[in-house]
Amino acid sequence: MAELFEYKCPNCGGSLQFDGGSQKLKCPYCDSEIDVEALSAYDEELNKDQAKDEMDWQQDAGTEWGVGETDGMKVYVCKSCGGEIIAEEAAGATKCPYCDNPIVMKGAFTGSLKPDFIIPFKKDKNQAKEAYLRHLEGKKLLPKVFRDQNHIDEIKGVYVPFWLYDCDVDARVRYQATKTRSWSDSNNNYVETSYFAVSREGNIGFDNVPVDGSVAMPDDLMQSIEPYDFSDAVDFKTAYLAGYLADKYTVNAEDSIAAANARIKRSTEDAFRDTVRGYSSVSTEASSIRISNGDTKYALYPVWILNTTYDGQKYTFAMNGQTGKIVGNLPVDKGAFWRNFGLIGGIAAAAAFAVQALAYVL
Amino acid sequence: MKKTKRLFIILLMLTLVLMSFSFAFATSEIDRYTDISGDKLLAESDAEALNEYLEKLSDASVFDITIHVMEEGLDDETLMYYADDYYDVAGYGYGERYDGCILVVDLEEGSWWISTCGFGETAITDFGIENLNSTLYSYFSEGDFLEGFMAFADRVAEFVAMADEGTPYDGPATGERPEPGETPFNAGAKAGSSVVIGALVGLLSSGRKKGKLTSVHNETRANNYTRPGSMNVTGGRDVFLYRNVTATAKPKNNNSGGGSTTHRSSSGRSHGGGGGHF
């Protein structure tokens, strides 16, 4: 039985018909005309979209602890938020870095993975305090009381567990691009838009894409203090932990993969989009990526943390212990917000009125 | 014979001179301000002064500017015909086309009509009529008839002067803006729009300052972790699909000032004009 081939119009989705006069495919619904060869090329590209993402990771991060390596390290647990902290017995840790509540020593530190790498603290406590004070400067709508009322000495240095992902990516991305040209005659302004199906194939590599392995550390906070420079990383030794707290990972590598995959895919699409030149607009339509040589590592990254409570709300600040970048949302002084609105708004309204009056008179 | 011929020529010239005088007299004898109402609207001295003023302006403009006051209580359409007819019968108008205009005020009805004739149709367009109407209203509603008549005469003279130069007052087409006295500075609306602008600017300013307080965001990309030099494009295709053209009409200079609306009076002459109530 004869089959009816149907090709969809890339503009409106209607069924295209071959027009003998122009020897092109025409859409009876939107009047678009497409070359036969162009359409078959487009069709091929669409078929390639069928390829699904393949993301296979080797999951062998972390090693077993050696004998004697965990002596003197204790696990503390916070009854309030459930966070588990590892610290030397001598560190005398008493408050949870996440929620400021007292923590209790749980027992000896056994059973979990030993990190592969660690980036030691480069910024010390004084630098962290200075950075915090600078963070508060220049913020006009910050309540004055907040500035005065902070227990800055309670800033803590914590090593946060991260899963790091390396991989090679084979990618194929399809974009829709347009070129526009405009002209006018005595009656009308014309805009001609030409549509293109653009595809790019290639490969790209990623190293040490970090995903926060601690549930207690908010992901967006950790993402905001990125990037970390892995070139400062060294093989892990417990000695580096001295004087600092370390967090146990509570999210395992498999669960973190989804987050890593999403970021890698997005960056790949962006990277290839940069190679599409000469168009007035480009947008991603579909992409398929295949990950190979995926490797996972377990590392501890340094973070200075400060928790403050203000007006019943908790505010957490984090500083990248390697680069010094500090982030943290600050409260808004509602009164100052509206005072500023009134002042600036009032001046603007007066100016607008004066300008209008002047224009009328002149 | 020579003496009689001489006398005859002198007499002829005298007659001609006298005739021209009488012609001049004839025009100056025409009252340009007429009032047939029971209680005269203006005092006699004012009426005389107005008449002289109208005569002076009309002669200077070569355009008859006339005013007639009555109290017949006519509706708008009848008033229009009344004005046309009065103008025609009174013999107003300069030249072959009877260039001029008349303002008829109906005290009973509280309305007026301006009728234009000849060059008046060119000089006083529909826009001009609107302009005159708003001027008259502002005076008549206060009861200042004399001032209103004077303002009317002055304005008409201006219109005629503009038309003589080739650019009759025709609203936006001439780029003329109404004088400050006519459209009052709407302080209420201007204040309102200023407040809105102020509110927007205030919100923008406060919003921006508030934005500075937030520094925690999600990071959706891994751009910082791209292996340098690892990106390699192995293939790609740019396929042209189709094109479409959109046309947007250019805004046409809407010449809403389009001359004057005219009609024919009972005498068959073409008149323009318009009226109002106070």
Side-chain angles (χ1 to χ4, degrees):
Chain A
M1 184 158 137
E3 265 183 45
L4 190 66
F5 282 102
E6 256 198 8
Y7 284 104
K8 285 212 162 32
C9 167
N11 188 26
C12 69
S15 288
L16 294 167
Q17 290 168 13
F18 185 74
D19 175 46
S22 60
Q23 289 288 302
K24 289 195 195 198
L25 288 157
K26 265 187 103 144
C27 174
Y29 303 101
C30 70
D31 269 351
S32 300
E33 265 187 25
I34 308 183
D35 208 44
V36 175
E37 278 183 32
L39 184 76
S40 70
Y42 181 63
D43 209 44
E44 270 176 48
E45 300 293 327
L46 285 182
N47 285 333
K48 285 193 198 165
D49 284 354
Q50 306 299 332
K52 290 262 185 287
D53 292 341
E54 278 173 44
M55 283 139 151
D56 280 322
W57 292 96
Q58 260 173 301
Q59 308 269 20
D60 60 358
T63 56
E64 297 291 326
W65 289 98
V67 173
E69 273 186 307
T70 54
D71 290 349
M73 302 220 338
K74 300 283 180 221
V75 178
Y76 295 79
V77 73
C78 171
K79 290 271 192 278
S80 169
C81 73
E84 291 191 1
I85 325 287
I86 307 155
E88 284 188 310
E89 198 163 1
T94 48
K95 285 258 201 101
C96 171
Y98 312 118
C99 67
D100 250 9
N101 285 306
I103 50 177
V104 169
M105 183 155 65
K106 186 173 169 185
F109 177 45
T110 54
S112 34
L113 288 175
K114 172 179 149 182
D116 299 314
F117 296 98
I118 183 168
I119 295 183
F121 270 90
K122 254 184 153 173
K123 303 286 178 195
D124 64 25
K125 191 166 187 180
N126 282 328
Q127 285 169 311
K129 291 205 267 192
E130 275 168 36
Y132 175 70
L133 290 173
R134 259 183 288 120
H135 186 61
L136 297 186
E137 270 172 38
K139 309 283 195 282
K140 299 269 166 60
L141 299 187
L142 182 67
K144 296 270 184 320
V145 198
F146 189 89
R147 240 181 277 260
D148 308 327
Q149 202 195 75
N150 59 64
H151 18 273
I152 197 173
D153 281 323
E154 291 180 23
I155 202 167
K156 287 182 239 328
V158 183
Y159 279 107
V160 179
F162 277 88
W163 298 108
L164 305 179
Y165 299 91
D166 300 345
C167 62
D168 293 326
V169 176
D170 275 310
R172 211 200 75 82
V173 195
R174 186 168 63 82
Y175 308 91
Q176 187 199 68
T178 60
K179 261 196 210 167
T180 53
R181 190 190 290 168
S182 48
W183 71 92
S184 57
D185 62 23
S186 52
N187 289 321
N188 299 303
N189 293 324
Y190 298 93
V191 175
E192 176 195 79
T193 315
S194 302
Y195 293 85
F196 295 81
V198 176
S199 67
R200 291 283 181 270
E201 278 172 33
N203 43 54
I204 187 171
F206 291 89
D207 285 328
N208 305 309
V209 181
V211 180
D212 161 15
S214 159
V215 151
M217 282 296 190
D219 286 346
D220 56 1
L221 190 67
M222 289 299 101
Q223 283 168 10
S224 301
I225 58 175
E226 284 184 33
Y228 281 96
D229 185 1
F230 194 75
S231 58
D232 281 341
V234 294
D235 288 333
F236 177 80
K237 291 203 176 23
T238 41
Y240 290 113
L241 297 183
Y244 298 102
L245 304 170
D247 194 5
K248 251 179 70 176
Y249 69 84
T250 38
V251 184
N252 58 28
E254 273 146 45
D255 299 334
S256 304
I257 270 179
N261 285 344
R263 287 174 69 172
I264 287 170
K265 185 166 161 113
R266 200 70 192 277
S267 283
T268 307
E269 286 169 9
D270 279 2
F272 282 97
R273 176 151 79 212
D274 284 342
T275 65
V276 181
R277 299 271 167 82
Y279 296 97
S280 39
S281 83
V282 180
S283 62
T284 310
E285 297 251 300
S287 70
S288 71
I289 68 173
R290 199 160 56 82
I291 290 185
S292 53
N293 302 327
D295 192 31
T296 323
K297 296 198 276 283
Y298 174 33
L300 295 182
Y301 279 175
V303 185
W304 285 102
I305 303 258
L306 177 64
N307 283 304
T308 312
T309 323
Y310 175 80
D311 211 17
Q313 284 251 0
K314 189 175 92 149
Y315 294 91
T316 310
F317 301 89
M319 182 173 103
N320 184 319
Q322 178 193 36
T323 62
K325 179 175 174 185
I326 185 162
V327 299
N329 288 338
L330 293 160
V332 180
D333 182 349
K334 285 236 162 47
F337 182 91
W338 291 112
R339 273 200 302 278
N340 181 70
F341 169 77
L343 185 68
I344 305 282
I347 294 175
F353 191 78
V355 166
Q356 288 186 75
L358 217 65
Y360 180 81
V361 166
L362 290 174
Chain B
M1 228 26 220
K2 269 198 197 159
K3 231 179 171 179
T4 21
K5 213 180 178 184
R6 234 195 182 164
L7 204 61
F8 183 66
I9 293 170
I10 291 171
L11 264 171
L12 190 63
M13 282 176 68
L14 258 172
T15 324
L16 280 170
V17 170
L18 270 170
M19 271 179 71
S20 64
F21 266 133
S22 67
F23 190 67
F25 269 17
T27 43
S28 67
E29 264 162 28
I30 290 179
D31 277 336
R32 286 186 175 75
Y33 173 71
T34 48
D35 188 341
I36 59 171
S37 62
D39 300 324
K40 299 295 173 193
L41 185 61
L42 302 178
E44 251 217 71
S45 53
D46 287 341
E48 264 184 49
L50 181 60
N51 222 336
E52 275 177 35
Y53 190 67
L54 288 174
E55 177 189 329
K56 194 180 75 170
L57 274 182
S58 302
D59 283 340
S61 313
V62 193
F63 187 89
D64 243 335
I65 307 172
T66 64
I67 300 174
H68 176 68
V69 178
M70 47 74 149
E71 48 185 7
E72 303 287 328
L74 302 176
D75 66 73
D76 287 345
E77 207 190 344
T78 322
L79 181 59
M80 174 179 83
Y81 288 122
Y82 180 98
D84 293 345
D85 288 345
Y86 191 89
Y87 183 91
D88 295 341
V89 166
Y92 290 136
Y94 284 73
E96 323 171 312
R97 299 198 307 156
Y98 306 97
D99 300 331
C101 70
I102 183 167
L103 167 67
V104 176
V105 181
D106 187 343
L107 293 174
E108 169 108 1
E109 191 66 22
S111 62
W112 71 84
W113 186 268
I114 304 166
S115 178
T116 59
C117 192
F119 189 62
E121 286 172 19
T122 316
I124 307 174
T125 60
D126 289 345
F127 258 102
I129 296 286
E130 259 185 63
N131 190 302
L132 288 166
N133 280 347
S134 45
T135 309
L136 288 173
Y137 178 78
S138 61
Y139 285 103
F140 289 176
S141 53
E142 303 284 315
D144 296 329
F145 289 97
L146 180 59
E147 285 87 353
F149 292 150
M150 306 270 279
F152 169 80
D154 287 336
R155 191 64 56 81
V156 169
E158 271 174 38
F159 287 161
V160 173
M162 283 176 73
D164 282 339
E165 278 167 29
T167 52
Y169 174 76
D170 207 358
T174 49
E176 265 288 294
R177 311 176 108 258
E179 284 134 73
E182 291 160 47
T183 43
F185 179 70
N186 193 350
K190 295 281 189 283
S193 64
S194 302
V195 165
V196 169
I197 293 173
L200 279 169
V201 173
L203 271 173
L204 273 170
S205 162
S206 283
R208 230 196 54 197
K209 293 198 166 118
K210 183 175 171 195
K212 284 200 181 153
L213 295 173
T214 320
S215 44
V216 178
H217 312 277
N218 271 317
E219 174 60 73
T220 52
R221 288 168 163 83
N223 291 0
N224 289 313
Y225 304 99
T226 313
R227 198 177 301 143
S230 64
M231 183 162 120
N232 188 20
V233 180
T234 54
R237 226 166 169 187
D238 292 41
V239 178
F240 166 73
L241 294 178
Y242 62 94
R243 65 166 56 94
N244 54 33
V245 181
T246 48
T248 40
K250 277 187 171 164
K252 290 240 185 293
N253 210 348
N254 229 348
N255 195 354
S256 47
S260 321
T261 332
T262 59
H263 56 273
R264 292 225 173 261
S265 68
S266 57
S267 62
R269 265 197 237 157
S270 164
H271 283 264
H277 291 250
F278 57 91

